[in-house]
Amino acid sequence: MLKHIVLWKLKEFAEGGDRRTNAVKMKAMLDGCANVVPGILKFEAALAQPGLEATYDVILYSEFADKAALDAYQNHPDHVAIKPFFGAVRDERQCMDYEI
């Protein structure tokens, strides 16, 4: 099994929306990718919550059966289609994949 974790820190304002608006839009776009390929075992997108410590605005925690499933997700047209918006609104991105 492979875990794929991505965190995004967003710009204060980009693509016509403020940080919170863009975070909500990102989460909805990620949620739309939750079942795009076989081999996705877990797919959870979340937003930083007021009152709880957070240094990033959006997180994706996901688990894949294997690297082939992650690669299929990375190259799926629905995932590829959201990348331009994510690139335009993010200030920073961190990613880590690891096998267990």
Side-chain angles (χ1 to χ4, degrees):
M1 179 173 54
L2 194 80
K3 294 189 179 189
H4 173 68
I5 301 168
V6 188
L7 298 103
W8 294 270
K9 185 179 290 189
L10 305 185
K11 297 174 183 174
E12 288 298 325
F13 190 86
E15 297 296 297
D18 63 14
R19 174 182 270 173
R20 182 68 181 170
T21 300
N22 287 335
V24 169
K25 185 173 181 179
M26 285 178 70
K27 182 182 181 323
M29 294 169 102
L30 286 166
D31 288 344
C33 291
N35 297 304
V36 295
V37 297
I40 296 176
L41 306 175
K42 184 169 187 151
F43 199 91
E44 181 178 280
L47 305 178
Q49 299 294 304
L52 297 175
E53 184 177 353
T55 55
Y56 281 75
D57 301 297
V58 181
I59 185 169
L60 171 65
Y61 173 84
S62 54
E63 297 175 357
F64 293 83
D66 52 30
K67 187 168 183 330
L70 175 59
D71 290 344
Y73 164 72
Q74 294 284 17
N75 295 306
H76 190 278
D78 290 355
H79 178 253
V80 171
I82 69 175
K83 288 182 176 185
F85 178 77
F86 281 43
V89 301
R90 79 169 186 230
D91 191 33
E92 295 179 31
R93 177 186 177 272
Q94 299 294 323
C95 178
M96 184 168 178
D97 297 332
Y98 61 98
E99 204 163 9
I100 59 167

